[in-house]
Amino acid sequence: MGKFINLTSADGLVFPAYVAEPAGTPKAAVVVLQEIFGVNSHIRSVADGYAAAGYLAVAPATFHRVKPEVELGYTEPDMNAGFALKTAVEALPAPGVLQDIQAAIDHAGKSTGGKVGIVGYCWGGLLTWRAAATLSGLSAAVPYYGGGMTAGDEPARRPACPVLAHFGNQDHWIPLDTVEAFKKAQPGVEVHVYEANHGFNCDQRGSWNEAAATLAKQRTLAFFAKHLG
């Protein structure tokens, strides 16, 4: 359904993004932010799913600044490689990868002429949360189990668009008490907690939880329908 195109950031970096188009005229656009495993087959299938729901989906390669063409699986060596790449991206001077996400948002908006939402998973969930507070052109944001968004200074951010957040109550990367504290700090954010582990949306991982993934997707699509059209 989709294909890779090149986008250009404000600083001139050219980087790839996977784009999936709906069968008819897009009702809006959704930027899809990867986990720490690259724009792999799972993330491409997620983008395809949003295209099937009527949205233009754009999944930028957010590792490209430190390593191009990253496509990892979910083994322990893959996990270690992904963590190292994430650490390298997070260490970049500001605005770092956020300018690449802005380029994806801009492309999505220009391509459809409509509103743009953003959804991200794991590290992409954290980036989605940051994008909601710091980037322009977004009308809705949905972070899934955003690692780090309930810690440090992250809960103090003020999103500029409506946010729906999904967490799992068995997620050892994101302790439930930090989720509860986040909810108190962000009363305007719609937060849902599932009987599930980290990565529950990914059907290529052992932590996949079909019931939680299905319900979260239903809620996400309803949220996008409300705020994007």
Side-chain angles (χ1 to χ4, degrees):
M1 184 181 292
K3 63 181 180 181
F4 278 93
I5 66 168
N6 284 329
L7 299 178
T8 304
S9 287
D11 67 348
L13 178 80
V14 177
F15 66 97
Y18 179 78
V19 177
E21 299 182 6
T25 301
K27 49 192 175 184
V30 175
V31 173
V32 179
L33 297 185
Q34 64 174 66
E35 304 166 296
I36 60 168
F37 308 103
V39 184
N40 61 7
S41 61
H42 170 63
I43 292 300
R44 296 195 299 272
S45 73
V46 169
D48 290 344
Y50 282 105
Y55 296 97
L56 175 75
V58 181
T62 48
F63 278 157
H64 191 78
R65 283 185 178 270
V66 296
K67 186 176 182 180
E69 299 181 6
V70 175
E71 179 159 353
L72 299 172
Y74 297 93
T75 65
E76 187 170 348
D78 289 327
M79 188 86 69
N80 292 336
F83 272 125
L85 289 167
K86 173 203 167 185
T87 300
V89 174
E90 292 281 316
L92 292 171
V97 74
L98 286 172
Q99 60 195 315
D100 306 337
I101 299 169
Q102 184 68 66
I105 295 167
D106 294 345
H107 173 79
K110 290 175 183 175
S111 297
T112 63
K115 294 180 178 179
V116 181
I118 190 167
V119 60
Y121 306 83
C122 180
W123 177 52
L126 171 61
L127 293 176
T128 294
W129 174 241
R130 290 175 178 168
T134 62
L135 302 184
S136 62
L138 289 172
S139 295
V142 182
Y144 276 72
Y145 33 84
M149 64 179 279
T150 65
D153 295 334
E154 294 294 338
R157 292 187 185 274
R158 287 293 170 256
C161 66
V163 177
L164 165 66
H166 303 296
F167 296 100
N169 64 2
Q170 298 156 30
D171 189 338
H172 65 279
W173 298 105
I174 308 174
L176 197 56
D177 61 336
T178 69
V179 175
E180 293 302 320
F182 178 87
K183 287 167 66 174
K184 291 179 180 177
Q186 295 287 343
V189 174
E190 182 179 341
V191 176
H192 291 285
V193 179
Y194 303 83
E195 293 286 337
N197 209 325
H198 190 82
F200 68 76
N201 183 71
C202 180
D203 58 5
Q204 296 184 23
R205 302 176 73 167
S207 55
W208 179 53
N209 184 306
E210 185 176 8
T214 299
L215 181 55
K217 183 67 176 292
Q218 289 172 348
R219 287 170 168 162
T220 298
L221 288 175
F223 190 74
F224 283 155
K226 177 180 178 181
H227 296 290
L228 303 183

